[in-house]
Amino acid sequence: MRDKFKRHLRDSGLKVTAPRTEVFEFLEKNDLTTISAVIGHCGGRADRASIYRTIGLFRELGIIHDVVAGGKRMIELSDRFASHHHHLSCLRCGKSEAVSDRVLESDLDRIAQKNGFRQVSHQIEISGICARCQRG
Amino acid sequence: MRDKFKRHLRDSGLKVTAPRTEVFEFLEKNDLTTISAVIGHCGGRADRASIYRTIGLFRELGIIHDVVAGGKRMIELSDRFASHHHHLSCLRCGKSEAVSDRVLESDLDRIAQKNGFRQVSHQIEISGICARCQRG
DNA sequence: TCCTAATTGCGACTTTTTTGCAAATTGGGC
DNA sequence: GCCCAATTTGCAAAAAAGTCGCAATTAGGA
């Protein structure tokens, strides 16, 4: 994925730099994270301003997208750089697990198509109380 | 809905105040908005701090929830105070339209159930290029 | 109407995000 | 491998967003 990422940048006429690689690698290892976590982790090696610029750039390029999980705004790699999935988050313990579901996906496609939308992407977040917390 | 809202507050031992009513009425008229829009609109009649406190309270009470649309964090009334729906947002013109779909809903229920989740809620955002922008 | 707890508005403050600019770096060409 | 131009970085400063303590005000039950 790292090579694909570098190619993606170069193909867009952009440079592969240390802060960009740093942030990308962090996102690869951390599905569903926050901007402050990225700063907390990459902050020693890259300036805060560069991290914000990098995240903004990644958003524009569609490398990442935003999600709200448990009321917090989070970011994650998008489909081209991570396998397509959604999240089930527990409101009590805060953990979230990945979900993939074919039927769901085809419904979403159907809806977009019915409304005349193209180049569609989507994000879903399901929240509730997970099985473990129901017992606890 | 306004009465239901007032009852909801009083039942929770909370007071119906001007800032709270102000913010609620703005949200009723503006599906999917931002905090700064609320401040921009109610700011003359209520203090910024009170608006933040009100929004925080509404979130805790489940009166509103957060959504990300086009990279921006937005808020909207939740199901009990607005009919359950999701959004199709156009990445080009920024407009979003409401969507309701029974099949989609039952799939989401099925997924939560399969994973042992209870008291489930979900949010979905579908984005792409709308029919009008495809022509333009 | 009175009383008390809840809530507001204000102002100061912290945190988060953005911006301008000189210095440093990347990557294509030689 | 070295050079150059364009891009990108780091820094410092500022704007924007959000939080907090507290005295003054207000809602609503008795």
Side-chain angles (χ1 to χ4, degrees):
Chain A
M1 279 308 187
R2 227 151 284 186
D3 290 337
K4 190 173 179 184
F5 157 71
K6 293 183 179 171
R7 225 178 305 131
H8 194 6
L9 283 182
R10 294 211 180 93
D11 289 354
S12 313
L14 298 165
K15 295 180 174 178
V16 175
T17 66
R20 288 172 186 170
T21 309
E22 201 71 62
V23 171
F24 182 81
E25 293 184 355
F26 179 74
L27 295 173
E28 261 189 324
K29 287 185 224 119
N30 299 273
D31 179 34
L32 205 54
T33 187
T34 60
I35 294 182
S36 61
V38 178
I39 292 172
H41 192 273
C42 308
R45 278 150 291 172
D47 190 74
R48 235 176 33 261
S50 301
I51 294 178
Y52 276 108
R53 284 184 284 229
T54 297
I55 290 174
L57 181 73
F58 283 9
R59 248 197 296 259
E60 279 178 36
L61 294 176
I63 293 175
I64 63 169
H65 59 226
D66 300 73
V67 185
V68 169
K72 278 182 300 183
R73 172 178 166 167
M74 312 195 85
I75 55 176
E76 69 175 347
L77 288 178
S78 40
D79 301 356
R80 258 175 304 175
F81 296 94
S83 71
H84 183 75
H85 66 278
H86 299 292
H87 300 278
L88 262 174
S89 323
C90 178
L91 296 170
R92 195 164 298 160
C93 67
K95 283 185 195 144
S96 49
E97 40 190 285
V99 182
S100 297
D101 190 278
R102 288 210 169 283
V103 182
L104 176 63
E105 298 301 328
S106 70
D107 276 339
L108 289 163
D109 287 345
R110 193 196 76 233
I111 292 167
Q113 204 163 5
K114 192 173 75 182
N115 287 272
F117 271 57
R118 289 278 158 73
Q119 292 172 40
V120 166
S121 70
H122 58 251
Q123 46 182 82
I124 299 178
E125 207 228 338
I126 308 178
S127 35
I129 310 296
C130 74
R132 175 197 297 245
C133 286
Q134 283 168 47
R135 288 192 294 271
Chain B
M1 279 308 188
R2 228 152 283 186
D3 289 339
K4 191 174 178 184
F5 156 71
K6 293 183 180 172
R7 224 177 306 130
H8 194 7
L9 283 182
R10 294 212 180 92
D11 288 355
S12 311
L14 298 166
K15 294 181 176 177
V16 175
T17 66
R20 288 172 185 170
T21 309
E22 201 71 62
V23 171
F24 182 81
E25 292 184 356
F26 179 73
L27 295 173
E28 260 189 325
K29 288 185 223 118
N30 298 273
D31 178 33
L32 205 56
T33 188
T34 61
I35 294 182
S36 61
V38 178
I39 292 172
H41 192 274
C42 307
R45 276 151 293 173
D47 190 73
R48 224 175 47 259
S50 300
I51 294 178
Y52 276 110
R53 283 184 285 228
T54 297
I55 289 175
L57 181 72
F58 283 9
R59 247 197 295 259
E60 279 179 35
L61 294 177
I63 292 175
I64 63 169
H65 60 225
D66 299 74
V67 185
V68 169
K72 278 182 300 181
R73 171 176 167 168
M74 311 195 86
I75 55 176
E76 68 175 348
L77 287 178
S78 41
D79 301 356
R80 257 174 305 174
F81 296 95
S83 69
H84 182 74
H85 66 279
H86 299 292
H87 299 277
L88 262 174
S89 322
C90 178
L91 295 169
R92 195 163 298 160
C93 67
K95 284 186 194 145
S96 49
E97 40 190 283
V99 181
S100 297
D101 191 278
R102 289 212 168 282
V103 182
L104 176 63
E105 298 301 329
S106 71
D107 275 338
L108 289 162
D109 287 347
R110 192 196 77 232
I111 292 167
Q113 204 162 6
K114 192 174 76 184
N115 286 273
F117 271 58
R118 289 278 158 74
Q119 292 173 39
V120 165
S121 70
H122 58 251
Q123 46 183 82
I124 299 178
E125 207 228 339
I126 307 179
S127 36
I129 310 295
C130 74
R132 177 196 296 245
C133 286
Q134 283 169 47
R135 287 193 293 271

